[in-house]
Every structure is written in C-alpha cells, then in structure tokens.
Amino acid sequence: MIRLDKLLSNLGYGSRKEIQYIAWSGAITHKGEVLKDVSMKVEPEDILINDEKIDASKLIIVMNKPKGFICSHNDSAKLIYSLLPTRWQQRNPKISTIGRLDIDTSGVILLTDDGNLNHALTSPKKNITKIYEVELASALRGDEVEIFNSGEMMLKGESKPCLPSKLTIKDSHHATVELTEGRYHQVKRMFGYVGNRVVSLHRSGFANIKVDDLKEGEFKIITYDDIKV
Ligand code: URA
C-alpha cells in the first residue's frame, strides 16, 4: 500500500500538488469510486485515471535508438530519454538505459526503471551476447576473424585481453561482430586495433532481443519473460 499522491507523482503524473488537483477534478477512481483524498493508502491496481489503468509495475522498454542521441541523463546533447513519453521521463526511480550505445550508434537498447534488472544485465559475469553490424572505412584484410577470435586482443589502456568474439565478414567494408563484453567504445577500438576505422555502427541484437519491426526512435514495452539470458 502506498499513498496515492506519492504513487502518482513517482509515476510522473505531476507534483503532489498537481495530483491533488487531478483528484479534485474527479479523474481518479479507487475500486470504481471517485477518490479525492490523496493521502489515502492504495494498491496501484485499484486505481484508474480517466478510466485508464496506471503503469505502476516496473517498465522494461526496447528501443531502436537513432544516431544522434546520447545514453545519459545529463548532457547538452539530445538525450535518448527525450524519445520517451514526457510522463515516463518524470518517473521515480528514473528509467535508465541498460548499458550504453555511443551517440553515433543506432539499434537495440533496453531501458528500465528496475535497478536490479539493469545491474544483472550489465554484469560482466552474465556474458550477454551483443550483435553489431559494422561499416568500415578501409577494406578488411581477412586476418581480422582470427584476431577477434584469439582472446589475445589487448586494447590500449586495458589490463586484460578481449574475450574471443565472432567476426563474420559480409563484404570488403561490412561485417557483423558478436561480443559478450561491453567495454568502452569496444567495437570501434577493436577495429582500430586491426588498423581500420568504424564509420557506421548498428546494434542488431542484445541477448535474444532484436529491433524487429521498430523504426528508428520507436520503442515498445517488453516483459521479464521476453529476455532470455
Ligand atoms: N562499441 C562501440 O564502439 N560503440 C558502441 O556504441 C557499442 C559498442
């Protein structure tokens, strides 16, 4: 049970004062009865606002991130969160990305307000597979597959080599990489290691989650059961 005004302000419906005004307008019902006392302790599933259920459970979202948006809460660049409904941007706890994609990377990114889930899915121990589609500045040489798979690639500033990753060459300038780590700028640095440069990067998979029919900037809610790790 939670106070109605606290519940609704945590869900982004407004400040506690604004919730009071919404309640006075008669828009909130509790088990079918109009509820105007915002101090009442309620179960979220008993509350409707304008006859609609409230999204009180934890949110897990999959988005097809467009390039040009940053996975940060605090930056002068366009934030990925600005693509979410305004009310979701005001939820407490905050919705955060599960891991990060660079500003110029597109593709699958999960977001959640469930801190435990976020922690579990970003833990290096989980070894979650991420699939990246890469476009390169220079032609591939052919030995990159072996180097990526060697488990001996030591990137600058790192104390441990990268775990083996699977590189599939599509044509001279395009490849797919499957990684189980998530080091800073990892794909770009790995191609830098083999003397190349990434000109375009798209993540097509995170665990079993794909962008499917989501257009860039679109998102949908998924459930815990949808994520197979
Ligand atoms: N590797 C990168 O270099 N950038 C990303 O955004 C993701 C993986």
Side-chain angles (χ1 to χ4, degrees):
M1 300 275 261
I2 175 168
R3 266 181 72 121
L4 180 67
D5 53 359
K6 183 165 181 4
L7 170 71
L8 295 183
S9 71
N10 282 351
L11 293 176
Y13 282 95
S15 64
R16 292 214 187 173
K17 191 154 204 175
E18 285 161 342
I19 306 300
Q20 179 67 82
Y21 286 122
I22 298 172
W24 281 337
S25 78
I28 303 176
T29 58
H30 175 254
K31 296 186 178 170
E33 302 283 325
V34 170
L35 178 57
K36 295 194 175 172
D37 174 7
V38 295
S39 69
M40 186 162 144
K41 292 205 168 166
V42 296
E43 294 288 0
E45 55 274 19
D46 294 334
I47 299 296
L48 300 182
I49 301 188
N50 293 323
D51 298 324
E52 285 191 13
K53 278 187 159 295
I54 54 173
D55 43 19
S57 49
K58 294 286 180 200
L59 282 177
I60 313 171
I61 300 157
V62 54
M63 181 187 283
N64 183 358
K65 177 190 172 296
K67 293 182 180 180
F69 288 82
I70 195 153
C71 296
S72 160
H73 280 290
N74 210 344
D75 201 282
S76 53
K78 283 186 282 180
L79 308 185
I80 188 170
Y81 306 104
S82 66
L83 298 165
L84 297 176
T86 315
R87 186 166 60 73
W88 286 3
Q89 296 175 41
Q90 281 146 19
R91 281 174 68 119
N92 176 24
K94 275 186 196 312
I95 296 173
S96 297
T97 58
I98 298 181
R100 288 181 173 209
L101 290 178
D102 295 338
I103 188 164
D104 54 355
T105 302
S106 59
V108 183
I109 183 103
L110 269 56
L111 303 101
T112 187
D113 58 348
D114 181 342
N116 292 332
L117 178 74
N118 200 328
H119 200 251
L121 294 180
T122 46
S123 157
K125 286 187 213 129
K126 269 277 192 278
N127 279 343
I128 291 180
T129 302
K130 295 119 192 160
I131 306 174
Y132 293 93
E133 309 300 329
V134 190
E135 185 184 338
L136 296 153
S138 309
L140 287 148
R141 306 182 306 224
D143 60 349
E144 296 91 343
V145 174
E146 206 179 312
I147 298 172
F148 276 37
N149 192 36
S150 68
E152 286 169 9
M153 190 190 283
M154 185 68 96
L155 299 177
K156 241 189 226 151
E158 300 277 344
S159 57
K160 281 191 191 150
C162 295
L163 291 175
S165 55
K166 186 173 164 207
L167 177 67
T168 309
I169 296 179
K170 295 202 279 194
D171 63 34
S172 63
H173 288 74
H174 294 90
T176 303
V177 192
E178 280 186 48
L179 292 182
T180 55
E181 298 178 288
R183 302 187 196 200
Y184 183 66
H185 293 330
Q186 184 161 352
V187 175
K188 292 174 185 163
R189 289 162 71 208
M190 286 166 72
F191 279 98
Y193 182 92
V194 291
N196 213 323
R197 186 170 58 82
V198 171
V199 292
S200 180
L201 189 57
H202 174 82
R203 184 156 75 183
S204 55
F206 178 94
N208 62 311
I209 308 292
K210 310 267 183 275
V211 287
D212 295 327
D213 50 358
L214 292 175
K215 299 197 181 73
E216 284 199 355
E218 286 184 346
F219 56 87
K220 64 180 176 191
I221 293 179
I222 58 170
T223 66
Y224 289 91
D225 289 344
D226 290 330
I227 308 170
K228 312 267 185 275
V229 288

